[in-house]
Amino acid sequence: MISKVKNAMSTLVGGMMPHGHHHHPGAGQHCPGDSLPPRFPYGRPDFLELTPELLQYSTEHASRPVLTLKRGTRLPWRTGYAEVINAGKSMLNEDQASCEKLFVKKPSGKHRNSTLLEDNGDGTGIPMHFWGVFDGHAGSGAAIMASKLLHRLIRDRLGEICHLLENPNSAPPICLAKNGNAYQVDSKKGAPQEPEDPDAVCDSTLRFHMEKTVSLESLIMGVIETAFKQMDDLIEKEKASYAISGGCCALAAIHLMGKLYVANAGDSRAIIIRNNEVIPMTNEFTPESERQRLQYLGFLRPELLGNEFTHIEFPRRIQHNEVGKKMLYRDHTMTGWAYKTIIEDDLKFPLIYGEGKKARVMATIGVTRGLGDHDLKVYNSNIYIKPFLSCVPEVMVYNLDENKHGSNDVLVMGTDGLWDVTTDREVADAVSAYLSCCDPSDPMRYSLAAQDVLMRSRGVLKERGWRLPNERLGSGDDITVFVVPLAGGELET
Amino acid sequence: MISKVKNAMSTLVGGMMPHGHHHHPGAGQHCPGDSLPPRFPYGRPDFLELTPELLQYSTEHASRPVLTLKRGTRLPWRTGYAEVINAGKSMLNEDQASCEKLFVKKPSGKHRNSTLLEDNGDGTGIPMHFWGVFDGHAGSGAAIMASKLLHRLIRDRLGEICHLLENPNSAPPICLAKNGNAYQVDSKKGAPQEPEDPDAVCDSTLRFHMEKTVSLESLIMGVIETAFKQMDDLIEKEKASYAISGGCCALAAIHLMGKLYVANAGDSRAIIIRNNEVIPMTNEFTPESERQRLQYLGFLRPELLGNEFTHIEFPRRIQHNEVGKKMLYRDHTMTGWAYKTIIEDDLKFPLIYGEGKKARVMATIGVTRGLGDHDLKVYNSNIYIKPFLSCVPEVMVYNLDENKHGSNDVLVMGTDGLWDVTTDREVADAVSAYLSCCDPSDPMRYSLAAQDVLMRSRGVLKERGWRLPNERLGSGDDITVFVVPLAGGELET
């Protein structure tokens, strides 16, 4: 993510070396973890198998080398991958990625508290595939931590409902006893009810009249949603002991039992390309797309605005001498604009300000969902921004088993650096064209396609910066791309 | 709307006669206006030209006569109309409708405070067409008042920006001086700024860097949104002097300068049928579709739940003896479901409860947007429901002038009684089939089509109630339908 957080950006990067102490707190960014060791050292995804020399090479802003898998390395599900560092906005690549095959199983006594350390266990259980891209801002700490742990949190939470996953054809029970089994109330004999319960009969009647059926799919969506929250809480908790800088957008795809769950919190994007047709699998969460939610919070909890901001949106800053005149505005209930008479209070800075990539919450941050950012404050103030940010993803489901897929049908996941300069359609055309010219048996084909589409967004370095073939500016941001073949599960050996 | 408000429904209807005092306050419904005269007497839309005998006839629940225009009566824009009363849930038809041609013009001194009384003025100004359907609940007062005044409020608010409408090709100015002209700041000379303004230079720079362009269309949308709010405020204000019972869903279509603006607050529905293709022009606002907004409010302002309700949703009521067990739930951030350990607080009644047409907010109301309902409380409590209801419509725009329309292309607007038993596709097929068999020059053709499609939802009375041809239950609700020919503006003489 480029320049998504004002003032606190280019200098605030985690140390390259383990336990590095090269933190330069950005202006206005309170860094209680300054003297603490990082939770995980900076690095690139393990599957890239970078030597220290290559790791150093990967940070060269002048050449921006595109990194991909070594020939011979295989990712689960035949996944293709490519990444490139930004054009200089931060010393290090603040994007991170993970691609894992895991196994969901019932937590055993032994594992209950230590599974976060494990990826594969003993290889038994329900197989689950995970792909994650994490686009950091104001430091790489949160993105690195999420790339190491989010998939395990999801796996562990799925483990808790493992016995329900094993019966995919029966709806999950509404109530579970402490042993995890369905809690059944026998309405005729009467359940063991507290004698003072005056609603017992009424409840019992109601219960049999009105009981929602919840699908297993909704339960898995709920697991993913709550795991994101748990990840965010864990970052907050561990900040007491470790330096975990910044925040990150999180985009995750989970394959479980024939379905693909795509969960997005931030402005990364995923699309499915099937028969050269584009199926969007995410919506982006930005100050513009979430304007009404943010304004509503500012309206209901004005104390969060710290007397510095107004929840009302104006098309530009108001000048003191305009008080009493009429200006266009919109509040949290409106989509259109109307005129209002300007009062003193309207001179405060708008909670949402700017357009497109320049839109900001509280003049600070350009994304409204993600993980971390617990310490993020408005420049030169004591106003926290975290209450306005959501860590909960939107989850979309694609039924993989119900569709036929050729070897050129893929899921493309990318950080905003990819999509800022290339449309969905252009990405789909590029990937489809590349794959159809590519040897179907080449194990590198999806990585090569990822590399190809990434280069289209990066461009080439000319005198006037990174340029696309059409001379428009290329993306100066970190870029991370997964190309996941939809038939990859069948192809996997 | 049928049984949309529990307990406070079937008995609480406005008196048939002007100044009737036949109010039977429903259980739990506080009626401060009981001894006051109604704001408008009960009746059917003026354009039906009902005699007192016909008005009485229109309320016969046993026969449910379908009312339509008298032959010879013409509505603006060749509009077709039909309505029918419910099967007995309330004495009177709680639906209302209006169809008007108005003229937008600058408010003059003489009219400034009295235009609400006028429909057409002197026939000069920018022509505007209005269609409204209002589906009342817990009384007919709010629906009647809205059907008499909403179009005038919109017309008057448009009048205030009349000088901007007259220049449709220039974007509305961001700031208006008191005389209504654009307020221009000359950046070089410097605007007359207060000397103590430390941000003057900065503001000035920012302003020229960042100024959103607002389209005339967004301004008209904003006018409609704020006019709904004004209508709601007016109902509240006039309740001090008049009996204005209940609340209503409001669906309005406005034609202005070549575009159709469809504004919906509630569960009525509008579709465009073009070449037998369906274009939905509304979303419905119900406890299910607005669950997250309502839960968020309950979460942020728990005092509004009066210690009786919980903002968390459960798939059924919880029993006392289930405390400590785990139950499926979802909160305001979630779409999926997860398990939580039940605590005492979860025994409170869920803010949102029930499914489909039976879903309710606070066990009381089945729609979440509309006008009125200022006094509506939870049965046997002092908890007001109004804070959870929104009076702001969603506005969708259809560019009429940019499309070609045949004489069978129409906008269908109907209260939920129409759509509950007939799908969009079925309505479209029925209307298209009817119109294509109908004499194109018959001035009654759109009313006959409205009547035909209405009868498909009402059904016929058999031993086992109102039945559709396929033996399923017909709608027992009030039903109101407009069929508006999209080419009606050209056909109008």
Side-chain angles (χ1 to χ4, degrees), chain A residues 173 192 212 313 321 326 339, chain B residues 173 176 192 212 313 321 326 339:
Chain A
K212 270 195 184 171
E313 186 189 11
N321 61 347
K326 288 189 170 181
Y339 287 101
Chain B
L176 296 180
K212 272 196 182 172
E313 186 188 10
N321 61 346
K326 288 190 170 184
Y339 287 102

Side-chain angles (χ1 to χ4, degrees), chain A residues 173-174 176 183 192-193 207 211-212 218 225 313 315-316 319-321 325-326 328 335-337 339, chain B residues 173-174 176 183 192-194 207 212 218 225 313 315-316 319-321 325-326 328 335-337 339 355:
Chain A
I174 284 174
L176 294 181
Y183 175 73
Q193 280 162 352
R207 195 166 47 79
E211 193 166 281
K212 270 195 184 171
S218 314
E225 289 170 332
E313 186 189 11
R316 65 160 165 82
Q319 306 197 346
H320 280 202
N321 61 347
K325 299 187 175 54
K326 288 189 170 181
L328 288 171
T335 303
W337 295 78
Y339 287 101
Chain B
I174 284 174
L176 296 180
Y183 175 72
Q193 281 161 352
E194 288 152 75
R207 192 165 49 77
K212 272 196 182 172
S218 314
E225 290 170 331
E313 186 188 10
R316 65 160 166 82
Q319 305 196 345
H320 280 203
N321 61 346
K325 299 189 174 52
K326 288 190 170 184
L328 289 170
T335 303
W337 295 80
Y339 287 102
E355 275 186 290

Side-chain angles (χ1 to χ4, degrees), chain A residues 161 164 172-178 183 185 191-194 197 203-204 206-207 210-212 214 218-219 221-223 225-226 288 293 296-297 299-301 313 315-322 324-330 333-339 342 349 353-355 392, chain B residues 161 164 172-178 183 185 191-194 197 203-204 206-207 210-212 214 218-219 221-223 225-226 288 293 296-297 299-301 313 315-322 324-330 333-339 342 349 353-355 392:
Chain A
I161 56 161
L164 306 177
I174 284 174
C175 189
L176 294 181
K178 274 182 186 135
Y183 175 73
V185 186
Q193 280 162 352
E194 290 153 74
D197 182 356
D203 267 354
S204 177
L206 251 181
R207 195 166 47 79
M210 256 277 314
E211 193 166 281
K212 270 195 184 171
V214 171
S218 314
L219 186 60
M221 284 171 70
V223 160
E225 289 170 332
T226 48
E288 287 187 309
R293 174 177 75 76
Y296 194 38
L297 178 59
F299 169 72
L300 289 172
R301 286 269 181 90
E313 186 189 11
R316 65 160 165 82
R317 285 304 305 277
I318 303 173
Q319 306 197 346
H320 280 202
N321 61 347
E322 289 174 323
K325 299 187 175 54
K326 288 189 170 181
M327 188 174 262
L328 288 171
Y329 82 101
R330 51 182 178 177
T333 67
M334 299 167 69
T335 303
W337 295 78
Y339 287 101
I342 302 167
F349 203 89
Y353 189 64
E355 274 185 292
V392 181
Chain B
I161 56 160
L164 305 177
I174 284 174
C175 189
L176 296 180
K178 274 181 185 136
Y183 175 72
V185 186
Q193 281 161 352
E194 288 152 75
D197 181 358
D203 266 355
S204 175
L206 252 180
R207 192 165 49 77
M210 258 275 316
E211 194 164 282
K212 272 196 182 172
V214 171
S218 314
L219 186 60
M221 285 170 70
V223 160
E225 290 170 331
T226 48
E288 287 186 311
R293 175 177 75 76
Y296 194 37
L297 178 59
F299 169 72
L300 289 172
R301 287 268 180 90
E313 186 188 10
R316 65 160 166 82
R317 285 305 304 277
I318 303 174
Q319 305 196 345
H320 280 203
N321 61 346
E322 289 173 324
K325 299 189 174 52
K326 288 190 170 184
M327 188 172 260
L328 289 170
Y329 82 101
R330 50 183 178 176
T333 68
M334 299 167 68
T335 303
W337 295 80
Y339 287 102
I342 302 167
F349 202 90
Y353 190 64
E355 275 186 290
V392 181

Side-chain angles (χ1 to χ4, degrees), chain B residues 77-82 131 273 408-413 431 435 445-451 453 481-486:
Chain B
W77 207 276
R78 295 194 63 181
T79 301
Y81 177 81
W131 301 262
I273 307 167
N408 296 350
D409 295 334
V410 295
L411 171 74
V412 177
M413 300 168 69
V431 170
L435 288 176
R445 69 197 301 264
Y446 300 107
S447 280
L448 293 170
Q451 202 168 4
V453 76
V481 188
F482 274 123
V483 175
V484 184
L486 295 176

Side-chain angles (χ1 to χ4, degrees), chain A residues 16-17 49-58:
Chain A
M16 279 278 294
M17 300 300 121
E49 303 173 16
L50 298 191
T51 60
E53 291 71 32
L54 277 171
L55 181 59
Q56 192 65 52
Y57 173 64
S58 75

Side-chain angles (χ1 to χ4, degrees), chain A residues 52 70 72 96 162 170 177 204 216 245 266 284 364 369 389 475 490:
Chain A
K70 287 204 298 202
Q96 292 292 339
C162 197
S170 55
S204 177
L216 193 60
S245 59
E284 280 103 77
T364 305
R369 298 209 187 184
L389 307 178
S475 168
E490 302 149 32

